[in-house]
Amino acid sequence: MTGIDDVARAAGVSAATVSRALSGRGRISDATRVRVRAAAAELGYVVSSAASSLATGRTANIGVVVPLLDRWFFANVLDGIASRLAPRGYDITLYSMSDDPDQRAGVLDVSLRRGRVDGLIVLSLALSENEVDRLLSLGLPIVGLGATSGRLPVLRVDDSALARLATEHLLGLGHRRIAHIGFSLDGDPGFDIPSLRRHGFDAAMTDAGVATPLFAPADFTIDDGHRAAGALLDAADPPTAIFAASDEMAFGALFAARERGLDVPRDLSVIGVDGHEMSGFFGLTTIAQFPHAQGERAGEAVLRAIEEGTDAADQTLPFELVRRSSTAPPG
Amino acid sequence: MTGIDDVARAAGVSAATVSRALSGRGRISDATRVRVRAAAAELGYVVSSAASSLATGRTANIGVVVPLLDRWFFANVLDGIASRLAPRGYDITLYSMSDDPDQRAGVLDVSLRRGRVDGLIVLSLALSENEVDRLLSLGLPIVGLGATSGRLPVLRVDDSALARLATEHLLGLGHRRIAHIGFSLDGDPGFDIPSLRRHGFDAAMTDAGVATPLFAPADFTIDDGHRAAGALLDAADPPTAIFAASDEMAFGALFAARERGLDVPRDLSVIGVDGHEMSGFFGLTTIAQFPHAQGERAGEAVLRAIEEGTDAADQTLPFELVRRSSTAPPG
DNA sequence: CTGAAAGCGCTTACAG
DNA sequence: CTGAAAGCGCTTACAG
């Protein structure tokens, strides 16, 4: 690889001048800048990231901490993030956190401490207080996307209000036997997205005078939504409506209904959350939340925090009821 | 952040010894190693990636070059890659390449030349010969996943054979008016996946004595598959079967059929490619190709190439016809 | 505006 | 087995 000295030689200047010409920092004459840049382009010279990071402390790289790479929602958010960072010259390094404690420790205590990133975007993870401490101890600008800790700057939809909106849509249609499909954590910290959605659902049901709402846990995949919905539909007194905490689980519910010869919405109403690209094809009523735009905002927020040296401000993200053919009054 | 000197002081040794104790390279007594590691753990010390990279030339980071982050297929491959690299201590930096020439140049000539990665996995991109040259000039171990250039080591399914299998499945059921939905590139290099699939389709049709097979271009999304299938179905003499080059496009075709009141498979047979997580729910017959496992193999292949200093060997990946209810003899 | 030199935080021959 | 020192390739005060 050609180095800074090669360029310096070619342009007839010192390495210091090459550095200034290429970075745009420090005073330099126009003529020199042009000459140096031409030489660099000619030689295909690009500043070494390791050397530059070591000297400046900046990496031009953002870490994105994700729970699951293979969900539609996260892939979309990631794409949104990338669309904002790439044009600004930032790369993205992925850190995926599973449920395994050792794996999580590896990410929090080792990988993230290698100093590879200038800032962090943390996607909708349920973090323990202790894990939040360890994130904060990195001393890096952080933006949370989705409910996390209250101690991290966060961009989020009001998941409780979102769940209330979905639930009240079903209640307003006249449903009373409404089941919620979502996730329940052990030692539920109450701050994570699935919990907030469940709380919003419970609150709306309680307000409507329904004491013990139906609930079935599922892990946000189509398969598990399918399984959970199947169990609800096969029970003695099945629900007339299902509020699934994600569109993918709602798709699973639609398939479960179809397999049982149930007509949607006559025999069963289904509402999801996300605004998945396929929801329109399924005629699925959903609460759309625009993950790509969320990613864009998160990308902008970390860059701002890094460049201005300030903490990112909390932001409330929009959501919106999209009525389609999967919900109707109980038949 | 605590540095190597802090650990050296705490353990009562030199920085050189700390380095050896932590890396496991070079001779060191067991007692010292244990003492140094304890001190490092105590202080939460982790080697700085920039400093270490600069000194060794190794980054413990792999670049993954992707065309689209938001397709199910790529998200799955990425997850497979991550599952192999993370346990070996490698991070993943993402480089997404669009169709925009400037953006591509930015990735090939700038981002990838910053020296941030030890090796590269290039996912099913259609690269020009010139772009391949630029990739090779990086002097990095590279593994292609999916058809690329012939000049890069590549793991791939035989896309032509795969397309032939799909087409012959439909021919074997008695179909003759079969349409293919896929992608067609300008100045088609002939090596990219969509072209190979189309060629396989054309060849199988020709062998079966069908001279001018039907074709509709689409960009591998559900939406575009839906649009393309709609156009085919609305034509004067619609096909009795559709072979879509991805499951997502096949889903779009199923939706298009449903909207027109067509029964699948009685009025229309549909076959896809991928083995998408939803294909079972749709009863979609498909050629499964196991993207997660492909990602795992690609991850292992780059690591091997890096650690053994050899070029990765080409590998042929498996695929498999999965018969479901979306294909049957023409009604 | 430009250059010489120190320094960023590690690693690794080289001695001992 | 362990330490002192040079060096990895840049950047940036400090002089001029």
Side-chain angles (χ1 to χ4, degrees):
Chain A
M1 282 287 99
T2 79
I4 199 172
D5 290 326
D6 298 311
V7 180
R9 213 168 300 123
V13 296
S14 70
T17 298
V18 173
S19 178
R20 284 188 281 254
L22 263 27
S23 71
R25 281 184 292 272
R27 321 229 116 269
I28 191 171
S29 76
D30 286 345
T32 307
R33 183 187 306 108
V34 168
R35 190 152 38 91
V36 171
R37 292 200 171 183
E42 169 73 20
L43 296 171
Y45 170 73
V46 174
V47 172
S48 148
S49 116
S52 180
S53 302
L54 187 56
T56 63
R58 278 171 275 112
T59 64
N61 191 31
I62 300 293
V64 179
V65 184
V66 293
L68 289 162
L69 285 176
D70 68 347
R71 293 295 90 204
W72 175 85
F73 183 82
F74 295 113
N76 244 264
V77 168
L78 193 55
D79 198 50
I81 294 171
S83 75
R84 295 300 173 158
L85 298 189
R88 302 280 287 278
Y90 280 80
D91 291 337
I92 292 178
T93 295
L94 244 35
Y95 297 93
S96 90
M97 295 228 306
S98 68
D99 291 333
D100 175 40
D102 289 343
Q103 197 271 337
R104 293 175 86 90
V107 171
L108 290 168
D109 302 330
V110 183
S111 303
L112 289 177
R113 299 185 76 86
R114 285 201 266 246
R116 217 192 273 284
V117 302
D118 290 338
L120 231 40
I121 295 175
V122 179
L123 299 189
S124 23
L125 280 160
L127 299 164
S128 70
E129 288 302 298
N130 175 273
E131 288 175 333
V132 173
D133 288 335
R134 288 189 277 167
L135 271 181
L136 289 171
S137 78
L138 295 170
L140 247 32
I142 301 188
V143 171
L145 183 53
T148 42
S149 133
R151 291 192 292 141
L152 300 176
V154 69
L155 316 192
R156 43 175 292 193
V157 305
D158 180 341
D159 281 288
S160 179
L162 174 158
R164 178 176 281 276
L165 176 61
T167 310
E168 287 174 349
H169 170 67
L170 296 173
L171 287 166
L173 290 168
H175 292 277
R176 284 298 173 274
R177 285 198 60 75
I178 304 173
H180 179 54
I181 298 180
F183 193 58
S184 64
L185 291 163
D186 305 334
D188 185 336
F191 270 126
D192 60 295
I193 291 174
S195 301
L196 289 169
R197 291 189 186 159
R198 185 173 180 185
H199 296 157
F201 167 72
D202 285 348
M205 292 299 276
T206 303
D207 289 356
V210 183
T212 52
L214 295 170
F215 176 77
D219 68 4
F220 279 68
T221 62
I222 300 169
D223 271 339
D224 215 36
H226 172 253
R227 185 200 48 69
L232 288 166
L233 295 173
D234 292 339
D237 196 2
T240 64
I242 289 178
F243 161 37
S246 78
D247 281 352
E248 284 172 306
M249 292 192 290
F251 296 158
L254 293 177
F255 288 121
R258 182 196 293 179
E259 287 161 13
R260 285 161 180 77
L262 298 175
D263 182 78
V264 172
R266 197 194 59 209
D267 305 321
L268 179 72
S269 283
V270 177
I271 183 172
V273 177
D274 278 347
H276 190 288
E277 59 173 343
M278 271 179 136
S279 58
F281 290 115
F282 281 107
L284 180 69
T285 297
T286 188
I287 313 287
Q289 65 162 329
F290 324 108
H292 198 278
Q294 293 184 2
E296 295 175 19
R297 285 224 216 182
E300 284 167 10
V302 240
L303 289 185
R304 209 177 310 120
I306 290 170
E307 285 164 14
E308 298 177 0
T310 58
D311 273 6
D314 286 1
Q315 288 183 45
T316 301
L317 302 170
F319 59 86
E320 181 180 308
L321 173 65
V322 179
R323 289 165 206 261
R324 296 204 185 94
S325 58
S326 69
T327 51
Chain B
M1 281 285 99
T2 78
I4 198 171
D5 289 326
D6 299 311
V7 179
R9 213 168 299 123
V13 296
S14 70
T17 298
V18 173
S19 178
R20 284 189 280 254
L22 262 28
S23 72
R25 280 185 293 273
R27 321 230 116 268
I28 192 171
S29 76
D30 286 346
T32 307
R33 182 187 308 107
V34 169
R35 189 152 38 88
V36 171
R37 293 200 170 183
E42 169 73 21
L43 295 171
Y45 171 74
V46 174
V47 172
S48 147
S49 115
S52 179
S53 301
L54 188 57
T56 63
R58 277 171 273 112
T59 64
N61 192 30
I62 300 293
V64 180
V65 184
V66 293
L68 288 162
L69 284 176
D70 69 346
R71 294 294 90 205
W72 174 83
F73 183 81
F74 295 113
N76 244 266
V77 168
L78 194 56
D79 198 50
I81 293 172
S83 75
R84 294 301 172 154
L85 297 189
R88 302 280 288 278
Y90 280 79
D91 292 337
I92 292 178
T93 295
L94 242 35
Y95 297 92
S96 89
M97 296 229 306
S98 68
D99 291 333
D100 174 40
D102 289 342
Q103 197 271 337
R104 293 174 85 91
V107 171
L108 289 167
D109 303 329
V110 184
S111 304
L112 289 176
R113 299 185 76 87
R114 284 202 266 247
R116 217 192 274 284
V117 302
D118 290 338
L120 231 39
I121 296 175
V122 179
L123 298 189
S124 24
L125 280 160
L127 298 165
S128 71
E129 288 302 298
N130 175 273
E131 289 175 331
V132 172
D133 288 334
R134 288 188 278 167
L135 271 181
L136 289 170
S137 79
L138 295 171
L140 248 32
I142 301 189
V143 171
L145 183 53
T148 43
S149 132
R151 291 193 290 141
L152 300 175
V154 68
L155 317 191
R156 44 174 294 192
V157 305
D158 181 339
D159 281 287
S160 177
L162 174 158
R164 178 175 281 274
L165 177 61
T167 309
E168 286 175 349
H169 170 67
L170 297 173
L171 287 165
L173 291 168
H175 293 277
R176 284 299 173 274
R177 285 197 61 76
I178 304 174
H180 178 54
I181 298 180
F183 192 59
S184 64
L185 291 163
D186 304 335
D188 184 336
F191 270 126
D192 60 295
I193 291 172
S195 302
L196 290 169
R197 290 190 188 158
R198 185 172 180 186
H199 294 157
F201 167 72
D202 285 349
M205 292 298 275
T206 302
D207 289 357
V210 183
T212 52
L214 296 170
F215 175 78
D219 69 4
F220 279 69
T221 62
I222 300 169
D223 271 339
D224 216 36
H226 172 251
R227 185 199 50 69
L232 288 166
L233 295 173
D234 292 339
D237 196 3
T240 62
I242 290 177
F243 161 38
S246 78
D247 281 352
E248 284 172 305
M249 292 192 288
F251 296 158
L254 293 177
F255 288 120
R258 184 197 293 179
E259 287 160 14
R260 286 162 178 76
L262 298 175
D263 182 78
V264 171
R266 197 195 57 209
D267 306 321
L268 180 72
S269 282
V270 178
I271 183 170
V273 177
D274 277 348
H276 190 286
E277 58 174 342
M278 271 180 137
S279 59
F281 289 114
F282 281 106
L284 180 70
T285 296
T286 188
I287 312 287
Q289 65 162 329
F290 323 108
H292 198 278
Q294 292 183 2
E296 296 176 20
R297 285 223 217 181
E300 284 167 9
V302 240
L303 290 184
R304 208 178 310 120
I306 290 170
E307 285 163 15
E308 298 177 359
T310 59
D311 273 5
D314 285 2
Q315 289 183 43
T316 301
L317 302 170
F319 59 86
E320 183 182 305
L321 173 65
V322 179
R323 290 165 205 261
R324 296 205 185 94
S325 57
S326 69
T327 51

